Amino acid sequence: MAKKQKKAKSEFQKEEVTRALIQATVISSLGSAQYGYNLWVINHPLVFRQSLQSLNMTKLKEIEDDPPSEFLGFLMGLTIYIFPFGGLVGSLLVGPLVDICGRKDTLLLNNFLSLISAILMGFTAVIIDYEFMLFSRLFCGICAGIFSCTVPMYVGEIAPEDIRGATTVVPMLFVETGALLAQIVGHPQILGSEKDSSILLGLSGVLAVMAIFLFPFIPESPRYLLLQKRDEEKAMAVLKKLRDQEDVEDEMQDLYQEDISERGEKNMNVLKLIRFRAMRWQVLSIIILMMGQQLSGIHMAYVFMEKVDQLIAVQNYQIEVVGIATLLAAILSLMILINIIDSMGRRLPLLIGYGIITILSILLTMSIELEVTFLQQGTISWMTYLSTIFLFIFIFGHVMGPGSIPSVLMVELFLQSSRSSAFVIGGFVQWLLNFLMISLAFYMAPLGSYIFLVFWPVCAFTFMYSMKVIPETQQKSFVTIKRLMALYMARKIMVQKPPAKGQFKPMQEITEDKESEIVEEEEKREFTRPVILATVISSIGFLQYGYNFWVLHFPAVILMNFHNATDEKKRDFNILHQSILFFFFFVAIALYPLGGFIGSFIFAPLADTCGRKQTLLINSFFSMTCAILMGFSKMAAAYEFSMFSRFITGVSSGICYNIVPVYITEIAPKNRRGAMHVVASFFLLLGILLGQVFTAPQLLGNEKGWPILMGFAGFIALFQILPLFYVPESPRYLLMQNGDEEKARQVLRKLTGQDDVEEEMEDLQMEDHAERTEKNMTVFKLIRFPGPQRRFAIIFVLMFAQQFTGYSAVRNAYPTLLEQ
């Protein structure tokens, strides 16, 4: 029976990609092609010059006196901002349009509007009027906003669940194809000239006319017909057409189940959806994903790609070719994604994409800053070509993950009645941030390559959020995805019930002989290879911490000379007062403990959200990045680069200072817990010793070798990253915070080396039961909570005494005493 079902399913999957489905997907995606075309043409240099011409010939003639520069800047900014503002308005219109008119009729109506928009845009080259030009751009933006939300919604609803991911990515492919078409026809030798500008602006109308004539041949969304229009007969006929088969009862049953499941979400407008508690995590996920998409730095990547191309290219046509190559690379990335998204799932491409742009944000900052340094010396180095490669990889990562997957998840995380409102929220966030990015581009320009470091925290946060919250929706029905999301989030906030009576064995009177037998049995379990390896591998983090703690302050004279020299170049001061130089140097010194202070605050939510092992792994990657930045600070010859490097190294040290003891405590046997902590302290002192040896002037403590000295911590981090994958997660975290009892039992068996771990499991369950009142205890709750106040005071006094023992003063005075 199972084989027959499997065979039937495989036969059904072969018949899924039908002609009707392909026609509906391609014809509806013509709207996305218009969106991509207009998005590029609106920012074409020729169109920008015509906007200036309209402004000069109409608006400025109405003003007799010379207008102030602020007023001119406002008018020119209004010309640029009006298109994304129109997109924002269009995204807000999507909700009522698709629910009243339907998905297909909304697309058909918007194609008529897009045709009118193309005609208006074409006449802006003939009718030289500023207000007419503004209205045309606004109208074009509204059409783009409607297309950006409605097309993926329609395509996602008509696609079968087994290929829903690939089908929903197709509109994004048409967006890039439209942009490519615009860049090709916008070449000066084709339509990118003054006499052909009206054709260039109105060419998208051809795509609109094609879509209008072809739309009668595609069906309405069967989900809309059944769940919102209650037309069961028509919905079944549409499903038969789309699947090219008569038997569609299974899908009809899925639609009936979805109708029953969404009873609490009927007539869900945007405000109701935001306030609806059951959908709060889905709404928050869409907002964060769209924020991560727009604040990833992709806009700046295209800007820097153009600047780097101008350095490499000798003639203008070569710059056009490189721009076309960039879009071809994006199209190739989307074609790869279409082929893998339904086999690999949504989470993996999303995480890979965010991982790439998170790492490349730092590498791009380094390469472009070094490129600027070489250009100041009058040479174009290989670093220019390296920056180009990094930018291509950055764009590839963005297209693979943040640029495409959020649209798929907006379709899949919501049921029929709330999906349109979800697209309104997602589209609103997308266009609002697009509007803000364009508005703030002028103010962010002085940051140069450091702009990528502004977006880096957003990329890193979205990566971690996606890893912990976004579920895998591959080949699942919408009802199943809703249940999966509810169960996933319920497990995160679950407070386990107290154990049933008789679950724990009653305490028995223990004789001396029995006690000695228990002690001997525990001692046999203590010294296992997994415990020793996990302790040593995690303690390598303390080795990095001790090494960085030492080398970031020594040799102080060399670092001070570097900071003073680079600061003089940046500020163009011939003579700086010595006190000012000392001030800037001590600010740089203070940034490391300030970063440690912030890192200690980041540690708690990171460890509770990602887990102990993953926090160690993330911090090792972070520490390796910090080491690379520190090593390149001299080559970049940038004072700010060095300041930032010291700060994030401090953040990494602050996280490491807390996570290593916590992890060791939770995996160590209770009879050897103290010894395991001493191992971590040993690695800390070993790191300080290693740093002190390497800072010797004969080794790396000199002008030539200190960049290697700073970057050596990256090798230590790399040495920790590789074996960390084989280290188990803390069993306490798995059971008490993640609610995974089976996995906690497996980890305990691995750590103890025995199959019988029921006593340890009972201890963990008793501890979980005992801390019922301390669940989800944040820092502020812990301070105000009366229960652990005494323990909190003890820790505070001990840490206060540790720092004020005078050890730092003795350590600083020790070299001076040796010299005397």
Side-chain angles (χ1 to χ4, degrees), residues 591-601 647 649-655 658:
L591 280 174
Y592 176 72
L594 177 63
F597 177 78
I598 294 175
S600 63
F601 276 95
F647 173 72
T649 303
V651 174
S652 175
S653 298
I655 297 172
N658 291 280

Side-chain angles (χ1 to χ4, degrees), residues 318-337:
Q318 291 177 324
I319 298 176
E320 298 288 343
V321 169
V322 175
I324 292 172
T326 305
L327 286 173
L328 285 174
I331 291 173
L332 178 63
S333 305
L334 285 169
M335 294 178 70
I336 294 172
L337 181 63

